[in-house]
PDB file of all heavy atoms in Angstrom:
ATOM      1  N   VAL A1119     103.137 112.370 102.455  1.00 97.00           N
ATOM      2  CA  VAL A1119     103.557 111.747 103.713  1.00 97.00           C
ATOM      3  C   VAL A1119     104.974 111.172 103.625  1.00 97.00           C
ATOM      4  O   VAL A1119     105.328 110.237 104.336  1.00 97.00           O
ATOM      5  CB  VAL A1119     102.551 110.664 104.163  1.00 97.00           C
ATOM      6  CG1 VAL A1119     101.272 111.305 104.646  1.00 97.00           C
ATOM      7  CG2 VAL A1119     102.265 109.675 103.046  1.00 97.00           C
ATOM      8  N   ARG A1120     105.800 111.778 102.774  1.00 97.00           N
ATOM      9  CA  ARG A1120     107.252 111.513 102.768  1.00 97.00           C
ATOM     10  C   ARG A1120     107.941 112.837 103.127  1.00 97.00           C
ATOM     11  O   ARG A1120     108.478 113.528 102.256  1.00 97.00           O
ATOM     12  CB  ARG A1120     107.722 111.017 101.404  1.00 97.00           C
ATOM     13  CG  ARG A1120     107.225 109.638 101.010  1.00 97.00           C
ATOM     14  CD  ARG A1120     107.850 109.182  99.694  1.00 97.00           C
ATOM     15  NE  ARG A1120     107.247 107.981  99.165  1.00 97.00           N
ATOM     16  CZ  ARG A1120     107.644 106.749  99.423  1.00 97.00           C
ATOM     17  NH1 ARG A1120     108.689 106.552 100.216  1.00 97.00           N
ATOM     18  NH2 ARG A1120     107.040 105.712  98.883  1.00 97.00           N
ATOM     19  N   PRO A1121     107.921 113.208 104.414  1.00 97.00           N
ATOM     20  CA  PRO A1121     108.398 114.540 104.790  1.00 97.00           C
ATOM     21  C   PRO A1121     109.908 114.708 104.822  1.00 97.00           C
ATOM     22  O   PRO A1121     110.402 115.835 104.912  1.00 97.00           O
ATOM     23  CB  PRO A1121     107.819 114.725 106.191  1.00 97.00           C
ATOM     24  CG  PRO A1121     107.744 113.334 106.747  1.00 97.00           C
ATOM     25  CD  PRO A1121     107.369 112.468 105.576  1.00 97.00           C
ATOM     26  N   PHE A1122     110.667 113.599 104.748  1.00 97.00           N
ATOM     27  CA  PHE A1122     112.117 113.696 104.895  1.00 97.00           C
ATOM     28  C   PHE A1122     112.848 113.618 103.564  1.00 97.00           C
ATOM     29  O   PHE A1122     113.985 113.152 103.498  1.00 97.00           O
ATOM     30  CB  PHE A1122     112.620 112.604 105.841  1.00 97.00           C
ATOM     31  CG  PHE A1122     112.061 112.723 107.229  1.00 97.00           C
ATOM     32  CD1 PHE A1122     111.336 111.686 107.792  1.00 97.00           C
ATOM     33  CD2 PHE A1122     112.233 113.883 107.957  1.00 97.00           C
ATOM     34  CE1 PHE A1122     110.809 111.795 109.064  1.00 97.00           C
ATOM     35  CE2 PHE A1122     111.704 114.008 109.234  1.00 97.00           C
ATOM     36  CZ  PHE A1122     110.986 112.964 109.794  1.00 97.00           C
ATOM     37  N   ILE A1123     112.215 114.089 102.509  1.00 97.00           N
ATOM     38  CA  ILE A1123     112.879 114.099 101.212  1.00 97.00           C
ATOM     39  C   ILE A1123     114.056 115.070 101.260  1.00 97.00           C
ATOM     40  O   ILE A1123     113.920 116.224 101.681  1.00 97.00           O
ATOM     41  CB  ILE A1123     111.889 114.475 100.092  1.00 97.00           C
ATOM     42  CG1 ILE A1123     112.605 114.579  98.754  1.00 97.00           C
ATOM     43  CG2 ILE A1123     111.132 115.756 100.419  1.00 97.00           C
ATOM     44  CD1 ILE A1123     113.262 113.292  98.319  1.00 97.00           C
ATOM     45  N   ALA A1124     115.216 114.597 100.858  1.00 97.00           N
ATOM     46  CA  ALA A1124     116.431 115.414 100.908  1.00 97.00           C
ATOM     47  C   ALA A1124     116.520 116.306  99.675  1.00 97.00           C
ATOM     48  O   ALA A1124     116.146 115.906  98.565  1.00 97.00           O
ATOM     49  CB  ALA A1124     117.662 114.519 100.986  1.00 97.00           C
ATOM     50  N   GLY A1125     117.046 117.486  99.866  1.00 97.00           N
ATOM     51  CA  GLY A1125     117.259 118.381  98.739  1.00 97.00           C
ATOM     52  C   GLY A1125     118.176 117.787  97.688  1.00 97.00           C
ATOM     53  O   GLY A1125     118.001 118.018  96.487  1.00 97.00           O
ATOM     54  N   THR A1126     119.152 116.993  98.130  1.00 97.00           N
ATOM     55  CA  THR A1126     120.056 116.357  97.168  1.00 97.00           C
ATOM     56  C   THR A1126     119.327 115.359  96.285  1.00 97.00           C
ATOM     57  O   THR A1126     119.643 115.216  95.103  1.00 97.00           O
ATOM     58  CB  THR A1126     121.203 115.653  97.904  1.00 97.00           C
ATOM     59  OG1 THR A1126     120.662 114.792  98.916  1.00 97.00           O
ATOM     60  CG2 THR A1126     122.146 116.660  98.549  1.00 97.00           C
ATOM     61  N   THR A1127     118.325 114.678  96.844  1.00 98.00           N
ATOM     62  CA  THR A1127     117.547 113.728  96.046  1.00 98.00           C
ATOM     63  C   THR A1127     116.681 114.473  95.035  1.00 98.00           C
ATOM     64  O   THR A1127     116.584 114.064  93.862  1.00 98.00           O
ATOM     65  CB  THR A1127     116.668 112.853  96.947  1.00 98.00           C
ATOM     66  OG1 THR A1127     117.505 112.145  97.875  1.00 98.00           O
ATOM     67  CG2 THR A1127     115.872 111.846  96.136  1.00 98.00           C
ATOM     68  N   ILE A1128     116.047 115.555  95.465  1.00 98.00           N
ATOM     69  CA  ILE A1128     115.276 116.376  94.524  1.00 98.00           C
ATOM     70  C   ILE A1128     116.176 116.826  93.377  1.00 98.00           C
ATOM     71  O   ILE A1128     115.818 116.720  92.195  1.00 98.00           O
ATOM     72  CB  ILE A1128     114.667 117.590  95.244  1.00 98.00           C
ATOM     73  CG1 ILE A1128     113.633 117.140  96.282  1.00 98.00           C
ATOM     74  CG2 ILE A1128     114.024 118.552  94.238  1.00 98.00           C
ATOM     75  CD1 ILE A1128     113.120 118.257  97.180  1.00 98.00           C
ATOM     76  N   GLY A1129     117.357 117.312  93.722  1.00 98.00           N
ATOM     77  CA  GLY A1129     118.284 117.773  92.696  1.00 98.00           C
ATOM     78  C   GLY A1129     118.740 116.664  91.769  1.00 98.00           C
ATOM     79  O   GLY A1129     118.899 116.874  90.554  1.00 98.00           O
ATOM     80  N   ALA A1130     118.945 115.468  92.304  1.00 98.00           N
ATOM     81  CA  ALA A1130     119.400 114.343  91.482  1.00 98.00           C
ATOM     82  C   ALA A1130     118.320 113.909  90.495  1.00 98.00           C
ATOM     83  O   ALA A1130     118.618 113.556  89.343  1.00 98.00           O
ATOM     84  CB  ALA A1130     119.804 113.176  92.371  1.00 98.00           C
ATOM     85  N   VAL A1131     117.061 113.909  90.934  1.00 98.00           N
ATOM     86  CA  VAL A1131     115.966 113.563  90.023  1.00 98.00           C
ATOM     87  C   VAL A1131     115.885 114.592  88.896  1.00 98.00           C
ATOM     88  O   VAL A1131     115.756 114.244  87.709  1.00 98.00           O
ATOM     89  CB  VAL A1131     114.628 113.469  90.782  1.00 98.00           C
ATOM     90  CG1 VAL A1131     113.458 113.343  89.814  1.00 98.00           C
ATOM     91  CG2 VAL A1131     114.641 112.278  91.733  1.00 98.00           C
ATOM     92  N   ILE A1132     115.978 115.866  89.239  1.00 98.00           N
ATOM     93  CA  ILE A1132     115.935 116.916  88.218  1.00 98.00           C
ATOM     94  C   ILE A1132     117.103 116.769  87.250  1.00 98.00           C
ATOM     95  O   ILE A1132     116.931 116.873  86.025  1.00 98.00           O
ATOM     96  CB  ILE A1132     115.950 118.301  88.888  1.00 98.00           C
ATOM     97  CG1 ILE A1132     114.646 118.534  89.659  1.00 98.00           C
ATOM     98  CG2 ILE A1132     116.146 119.403  87.853  1.00 98.00           C
ATOM     99  CD1 ILE A1132     114.654 119.769  90.540  1.00 98.00           C
ATOM    100  N   ALA A1133     118.292 116.506  87.770  1.00 98.00           N
ATOM    101  CA  ALA A1133     119.470 116.366  86.911  1.00 98.00           C
ATOM    102  C   ALA A1133     119.309 115.210  85.928  1.00 98.00           C
ATOM    103  O   ALA A1133     119.699 115.313  84.757  1.00 98.00           O
ATOM    104  CB  ALA A1133     120.722 116.172  87.765  1.00 98.00           C
ATOM    105  N   ALA A1134     118.727 114.106  86.395  1.00 98.00           N
ATOM    106  CA  ALA A1134     118.543 112.942  85.520  1.00 98.00           C
ATOM    107  C   ALA A1134     117.600 113.254  84.363  1.00 98.00           C
ATOM    108  O   ALA A1134     117.711 112.648  83.284  1.00 98.00           O
ATOM    109  CB  ALA A1134     118.021 111.766  86.328  1.00 98.00           C
ATOM    110  N   LEU A1135     116.685 114.195  84.559  1.00 98.00           N
ATOM    111  CA  LEU A1135     115.713 114.520  83.509  1.00 98.00           C
ATOM    112  C   LEU A1135     116.339 115.267  82.342  1.00 98.00           C
ATOM    113  O   LEU A1135     115.679 115.473  81.319  1.00 98.00           O
ATOM    114  CB  LEU A1135     114.558 115.329  84.103  1.00 98.00           C
ATOM    115  CG  LEU A1135     113.670 114.561  85.077  1.00 98.00           C
ATOM    116  CD1 LEU A1135     112.628 115.481  85.697  1.00 98.00           C
ATOM    117  CD2 LEU A1135     112.989 113.380  84.384  1.00 98.00           C
ATOM    118  N   ARG A1136     117.590 115.653  82.465  1.00 96.00           N
ATOM    119  CA  ARG A1136     118.292 116.232  81.310  1.00 96.00           C
ATOM    120  C   ARG A1136     118.514 115.180  80.226  1.00 96.00           C
ATOM    121  O   ARG A1136     118.727 115.521  79.061  1.00 96.00           O
ATOM    122  CB  ARG A1136     119.640 116.802  81.739  1.00 96.00           C
ATOM    123  CG  ARG A1136     119.564 117.919  82.758  1.00 96.00           C
ATOM    124  CD  ARG A1136     120.957 118.475  83.030  1.00 96.00           C
ATOM    125  NE  ARG A1136     120.975 119.336  84.197  1.00 96.00           N
ATOM    126  CZ  ARG A1136     121.835 119.228  85.200  1.00 96.00           C
ATOM    127  NH1 ARG A1136     122.767 118.280  85.171  1.00 96.00           N
ATOM    128  NH2 ARG A1136     121.792 120.059  86.230  1.00 96.00           N
ATOM    129  N   HIS A1137     118.496 113.908  80.621  1.00 95.00           N
ATOM    130  CA  HIS A1137     118.888 112.846  79.703  1.00 95.00           C
ATOM    131  C   HIS A1137     117.792 111.806  79.460  1.00 95.00           C
ATOM    132  O   HIS A1137     117.994 110.887  78.653  1.00 95.00           O
ATOM    133  CB  HIS A1137     120.126 112.121  80.240  1.00 95.00           C
ATOM    134  CG  HIS A1137     121.213 113.047  80.699  1.00 95.00           C
ATOM    135  ND1 HIS A1137     121.953 113.823  79.833  1.00 95.00           N
ATOM    136  CD2 HIS A1137     121.664 113.360  81.951  1.00 95.00           C
ATOM    137  CE1 HIS A1137     122.825 114.553  80.519  1.00 95.00           C
ATOM    138  NE2 HIS A1137     122.668 114.288  81.800  1.00 95.00           N
ATOM    139  N   THR A1138     116.667 111.909  80.164  1.00 96.00           N
ATOM    140  CA  THR A1138     115.646 110.859  80.064  1.00 96.00           C
ATOM    141  C   THR A1138     114.264 111.453  80.310  1.00 96.00           C
ATOM    142  O   THR A1138     114.145 112.487  80.986  1.00 96.00           O
ATOM    143  CB  THR A1138     115.948 109.745  81.103  1.00 96.00           C
ATOM    144  OG1 THR A1138     115.026 108.674  80.947  1.00 96.00           O
ATOM    145  CG2 THR A1138     115.856 110.279  82.522  1.00 96.00           C
ATOM    146  N   PRO A1139     113.209 110.832  79.761  1.00 97.00           N
ATOM    147  CA  PRO A1139     111.857 111.370  79.950  1.00 97.00           C
ATOM    148  C   PRO A1139     111.376 111.317  81.393  1.00 97.00           C
ATOM    149  O   PRO A1139     110.527 112.112  81.791  1.00 97.00           O
ATOM    150  CB  PRO A1139     110.986 110.476  79.064  1.00 97.00           C
ATOM    151  CG  PRO A1139     111.913 109.877  78.073  1.00 97.00           C
ATOM    152  CD  PRO A1139     113.221 109.721  78.778  1.00 97.00           C
ATOM    153  N   GLY A1140     111.894 110.361  82.178  1.00 98.00           N
ATOM    154  CA  GLY A1140     111.431 110.220  83.555  1.00 98.00           C
ATOM    155  C   GLY A1140     112.546 109.752  84.454  1.00 98.00           C
ATOM    156  O   GLY A1140     113.497 109.093  84.009  1.00 98.00           O
ATOM    157  N   ALA A1141     112.458 110.090  85.735  1.00 98.00           N
ATOM    158  CA  ALA A1141     113.444 109.638  86.726  1.00 98.00           C
ATOM    159  C   ALA A1141     112.770 109.615  88.082  1.00 98.00           C
ATOM    160  O   ALA A1141     112.021 110.526  88.425  1.00 98.00           O
ATOM    161  CB  ALA A1141     114.654 110.559  86.754  1.00 98.00           C
ATOM    162  N   ILE A1142     113.032 108.556  88.854  1.00 98.00           N
ATOM    163  CA  ILE A1142     112.408 108.438  90.161  1.00 98.00           C
ATOM    164  C   ILE A1142     113.461 108.121  91.217  1.00 98.00           C
ATOM    165  O   ILE A1142     114.535 107.598  90.911  1.00 98.00           O
ATOM    166  CB  ILE A1142     111.307 107.352  90.183  1.00 98.00           C
ATOM    167  CG1 ILE A1142     111.903 105.946  90.178  1.00 98.00           C
ATOM    168  CG2 ILE A1142     110.352 107.531  89.015  1.00 98.00           C
ATOM    169  CD1 ILE A1142     110.881 104.839  90.414  1.00 98.00           C
ATOM    170  N   ALA A1143     113.121 108.457  92.462  1.00 98.00           N
ATOM    171  CA  ALA A1143     113.978 108.117  93.587  1.00 98.00           C
ATOM    172  C   ALA A1143     113.665 106.700  94.066  1.00 98.00           C
ATOM    173  O   ALA A1143     112.516 106.248  93.976  1.00 98.00           O
ATOM    174  CB  ALA A1143     113.763 109.113  94.727  1.00 98.00           C
ATOM    175  N   GLY A1144     114.687 106.034  94.587  1.00 97.00           N
ATOM    176  CA  GLY A1144     114.464 104.689  95.109  1.00 97.00           C
ATOM    177  C   GLY A1144     115.681 104.180  95.851  1.00 97.00           C
ATOM    178  O   GLY A1144     116.733 104.825  95.870  1.00 97.00           O
ATOM    179  N   VAL A1145     115.527 103.030  96.486  1.00 96.00           N
ATOM    180  CA  VAL A1145     116.633 102.395  97.200  1.00 96.00           C
ATOM    181  C   VAL A1145     116.685 100.914  96.813  1.00 96.00           C
ATOM    182  O   VAL A1145     115.640 100.271  96.644  1.00 96.00           O
ATOM    183  CB  VAL A1145     116.495 102.534  98.734  1.00 96.00           C
ATOM    184  CG1 VAL A1145     116.649 103.978  99.165  1.00 96.00           C
ATOM    185  CG2 VAL A1145     115.170 101.996  99.214  1.00 96.00           C
ATOM    186  N   PRO A1146     117.888 100.367  96.655  1.00 94.00           N
ATOM    187  CA  PRO A1146     117.993  98.944  96.309  1.00 94.00           C
ATOM    188  C   PRO A1146     117.542  98.066  97.468  1.00 94.00           C
ATOM    189  O   PRO A1146     117.731  98.411  98.634  1.00 94.00           O
ATOM    190  CB  PRO A1146     119.479  98.755  96.003  1.00 94.00           C
ATOM    191  CG  PRO A1146     120.153  99.875  96.726  1.00 94.00           C
ATOM    192  CD  PRO A1146     119.201 101.027  96.755  1.00 94.00           C
ATOM    193  N   LEU A1147     116.956  96.944  97.140  1.00 91.00           N
ATOM    194  CA  LEU A1147     116.508  96.008  98.168  1.00 91.00           C
ATOM    195  C   LEU A1147     117.707  95.351  98.843  1.00 91.00           C
ATOM    196  O   LEU A1147     118.647  94.907  98.183  1.00 91.00           O
ATOM    197  CB  LEU A1147     115.626  94.929  97.551  1.00 91.00           C
ATOM    198  CG  LEU A1147     114.188  95.337  97.228  1.00 91.00           C
ATOM    199  CD1 LEU A1147     113.489  94.214  96.486  1.00 91.00           C
ATOM    200  CD2 LEU A1147     113.421  95.675  98.492  1.00 91.00           C
ATOM    201  N   ALA A1148     117.625  95.271 100.155  1.00 88.00           N
ATOM    202  CA  ALA A1148     118.684  94.608 100.927  1.00 88.00           C
ATOM    203  C   ALA A1148     118.203  93.300 101.530  1.00 88.00           C
ATOM    204  O   ALA A1148     119.006  92.391 101.779  1.00 88.00           O
ATOM    205  CB  ALA A1148     119.177  95.536 102.032  1.00 88.00           C
ATOM    206  N   ASP A1149     116.923  93.162 101.790  1.00 87.00           N
ATOM    207  CA  ASP A1149     116.388  91.975 102.443  1.00 87.00           C
ATOM    208  C   ASP A1149     116.120  90.860 101.431  1.00 87.00           C
ATOM    209  O   ASP A1149     115.844  91.103 100.258  1.00 87.00           O
ATOM    210  CB  ASP A1149     115.068  92.296 103.155  1.00 87.00           C
ATOM    211  CG  ASP A1149     115.246  93.308 104.273  1.00 87.00           C
ATOM    212  OD1 ASP A1149     116.283  93.257 104.940  1.00 87.00           O
ATOM    213  OD2 ASP A1149     114.353  94.144 104.453  1.00 87.00           O
ATOM    214  N   THR A1150     116.192  89.627 101.915  1.00 90.00           N
ATOM    215  CA  THR A1150     115.770  88.489 101.113  1.00 90.00           C
ATOM    216  C   THR A1150     114.244  88.516 100.983  1.00 90.00           C
ATOM    217  O   THR A1150     113.534  88.771 101.953  1.00 90.00           O
ATOM    218  CB  THR A1150     116.214  87.173 101.769  1.00 90.00           C
ATOM    219  OG1 THR A1150     117.637  87.157 101.830  1.00 90.00           O
ATOM    220  CG2 THR A1150     115.726  85.969 100.970  1.00 90.00           C
ATOM    221  N   LEU A1151     113.758  88.260  99.796  1.00 90.00           N
ATOM    222  CA  LEU A1151     112.317  88.318  99.530  1.00 90.00           C
ATOM    223  C   LEU A1151     111.737  86.911  99.467  1.00 90.00           C
ATOM    224  O   LEU A1151     112.290  86.032  98.809  1.00 90.00           O
ATOM    225  CB  LEU A1151     112.046  89.042  98.212  1.00 90.00           C
ATOM    226  CG  LEU A1151     112.509  90.492  98.126  1.00 90.00           C
ATOM    227  CD1 LEU A1151     112.182  91.063  96.753  1.00 90.00           C
ATOM    228  CD2 LEU A1151     111.863  91.329  99.209  1.00 90.00           C
ATOM    229  N   LYS A1152     110.613  86.724 100.128  1.00 91.00           N
ATOM    230  CA  LYS A1152     109.910  85.439 100.116  1.00 91.00           C
ATOM    231  C   LYS A1152     108.505  85.630  99.552  1.00 91.00           C
ATOM    232  O   LYS A1152     107.812  86.583  99.892  1.00 91.00           O
ATOM    233  CB  LYS A1152     109.803  84.871 101.533  1.00 91.00           C
ATOM    234  CG  LYS A1152     111.135  84.586 102.219  1.00 91.00           C
ATOM    235  CD  LYS A1152     111.889  83.454 101.545  1.00 91.00           C
ATOM    236  CE  LYS A1152     113.161  83.112 102.312  1.00 91.00           C
ATOM    237  NZ  LYS A1152     113.928  82.020 101.662  1.00 91.00           N
ATOM    238  N   ARG A1153     108.115  84.725  98.698  1.00 92.00           N
ATOM    239  CA  ARG A1153     106.724  84.696  98.227  1.00 92.00           C
ATOM    240  C   ARG A1153     105.955  83.724  99.112  1.00 92.00           C
ATOM    241  O   ARG A1153     106.405  82.596  99.354  1.00 92.00           O
ATOM    242  CB  ARG A1153     106.656  84.266  96.758  1.00 92.00           C
ATOM    243  CG  ARG A1153     105.244  84.252  96.204  1.00 92.00           C
ATOM    244  CD  ARG A1153     105.212  83.950  94.702  1.00 92.00           C
ATOM    245  NE  ARG A1153     105.668  85.095  93.928  1.00 92.00           N
ATOM    246  CZ  ARG A1153     106.818  85.162  93.275  1.00 92.00           C
ATOM    247  NH1 ARG A1153     107.659  84.130  93.329  1.00 92.00           N
ATOM    248  NH2 ARG A1153     107.155  86.228  92.586  1.00 92.00           N
ATOM    249  N   CYS A1154     104.794  84.161  99.629  1.00 95.00           N
ATOM    250  CA  CYS A1154     104.020  83.339 100.562  1.00 95.00           C
ATOM    251  C   CYS A1154     102.579  83.205 100.087  1.00 95.00           C
ATOM    252  O   CYS A1154     102.038  84.083  99.415  1.00 95.00           O
ATOM    253  CB  CYS A1154     104.025  83.949 101.966  1.00 95.00           C
ATOM    254  SG  CYS A1154     105.663  84.061 102.710  1.00 95.00           S
ATOM    255  N   ARG A1155     101.963  82.106 100.505  1.00 92.00           N
ATOM    256  CA  ARG A1155     100.539  81.888 100.270  1.00 92.00           C
ATOM    257  C   ARG A1155      99.966  81.159 101.479  1.00 92.00           C
ATOM    258  O   ARG A1155     100.545  80.167 101.931  1.00 92.00           O
ATOM    259  CB  ARG A1155     100.309  81.077  98.993  1.00 92.00           C
ATOM    260  CG  ARG A1155      98.833  80.855  98.656  1.00 92.00           C
ATOM    261  CD  ARG A1155      98.686  80.146  97.324  1.00 92.00           C
ATOM    262  NE  ARG A1155      99.252  80.944  96.237  1.00 92.00           N
ATOM    263  CZ  ARG A1155      99.576  80.461  95.043  1.00 92.00           C
ATOM    264  NH1 ARG A1155      99.410  79.174  94.795  1.00 92.00           N
ATOM    265  NH2 ARG A1155     100.079  81.263  94.108  1.00 92.00           N
ATOM    266  N   ASP A1156      98.881  81.680 102.001  1.00 92.00           N
ATOM    267  CA  ASP A1156      98.227  81.090 103.185  1.00 92.00           C
ATOM    268  C   ASP A1156      99.205  80.944 104.352  1.00 92.00           C
ATOM    269  O   ASP A1156      99.184  79.948 105.091  1.00 92.00           O
ATOM    270  CB  ASP A1156      97.611  79.725 102.839  1.00 92.00           C
ATOM    271  CG  ASP A1156      96.542  79.837 101.760  1.00 92.00           C
ATOM    272  OD1 ASP A1156      95.835  80.858 101.734  1.00 92.00           O
ATOM    273  OD2 ASP A1156      96.440  78.907 100.944  1.00 92.00           O
ATOM    274  N   GLY A1157     100.072  81.928 104.499  1.00 92.00           N
ATOM    275  CA  GLY A1157     100.998  81.933 105.627  1.00 92.00           C
ATOM    276  C   GLY A1157     102.202  81.031 105.472  1.00 92.00           C
ATOM    277  O   GLY A1157     102.993  80.901 106.410  1.00 92.00           O
ATOM    278  N   LYS A1158     102.383  80.419 104.291  1.00 95.00           N
ATOM    279  CA  LYS A1158     103.518  79.530 104.077  1.00 95.00           C
ATOM    280  C   LYS A1158     104.355  80.019 102.905  1.00 95.00           C
ATOM    281  O   LYS A1158     103.834  80.529 101.911  1.00 95.00           O
ATOM    282  CB  LYS A1158     103.035  78.101 103.804  1.00 95.00           C
ATOM    283  CG  LYS A1158     102.316  77.473 105.000  1.00 95.00           C
ATOM    284  CD  LYS A1158     101.894  76.052 104.686  1.00 95.00           C
ATOM    285  CE  LYS A1158     101.184  75.416 105.885  1.00 95.00           C
ATOM    286  NZ  LYS A1158     100.748  74.031 105.596  1.00 95.00           N
ATOM    287  N   ILE A1159     105.677  79.861 103.038  1.00 95.00           N
ATOM    288  CA  ILE A1159     106.586  80.287 101.989  1.00 95.00           C
ATOM    289  C   ILE A1159     106.468  79.354 100.797  1.00 95.00           C
ATOM    290  O   ILE A1159     106.538  78.126 100.928  1.00 95.00           O
ATOM    291  CB  ILE A1159     108.032  80.304 102.514  1.00 95.00           C
ATOM    292  CG1 ILE A1159     108.188  81.383 103.588  1.00 95.00           C
ATOM    293  CG2 ILE A1159     109.022  80.547 101.376  1.00 95.00           C
ATOM    294  CD1 ILE A1159     109.524  81.357 104.282  1.00 95.00           C
ATOM    295  N   THR A1160     106.292  79.960  99.622  1.00 94.00           N
ATOM    296  CA  THR A1160     106.213  79.163  98.388  1.00 94.00           C
ATOM    297  C   THR A1160     107.427  79.353  97.499  1.00 94.00           C
ATOM    298  O   THR A1160     107.583  78.653  96.502  1.00 94.00           O
ATOM    299  CB  THR A1160     104.947  79.531  97.602  1.00 94.00           C
ATOM    300  OG1 THR A1160     105.000  80.919  97.243  1.00 94.00           O
ATOM    301  CG2 THR A1160     103.694  79.257  98.424  1.00 94.00           C
ATOM    302  N   GLY A1161     108.296  80.294  97.844  1.00 92.00           N
ATOM    303  CA  GLY A1161     109.493  80.486  97.039  1.00 92.00           C
ATOM    304  C   GLY A1161     110.286  81.699  97.484  1.00 92.00           C
ATOM    305  O   GLY A1161     109.806  82.529  98.257  1.00 92.00           O
TER     306      GLY A1161
END
C-alpha cells in the first residue's frame, strides 16, 4: 500500500547495498514531537 514508490528511490536503495548489509528508504522528521499521556503533553 505504498504505490508511489519512485524508481529513483528503488535505485538508491540498491546502490547503497553495494556498501552495507541493509538500506532503507525514509524521510527526516520535520514536525516537533510531543510525548503525551492521557491526552496531556508530558514532554
Side-chain angles (χ1 to χ4, degrees):
V1119 288
R1120 292 185 190 270
F1122 298 122
I1123 176 61
T1126 52
T1127 301
I1128 295 172
V1131 170
I1132 292 170
L1135 292 175
R1136 299 184 192 130
H1137 313 291
T1138 184
I1142 74 171
V1145 293
L1147 283 174
D1149 297 324
T1150 298
L1151 299 179
K1152 299 293 185 181
R1153 182 175 286 109
C1154 298
R1155 182 175 299 162
D1156 299 326
K1158 295 181 180 179
I1159 294 173
T1160 61

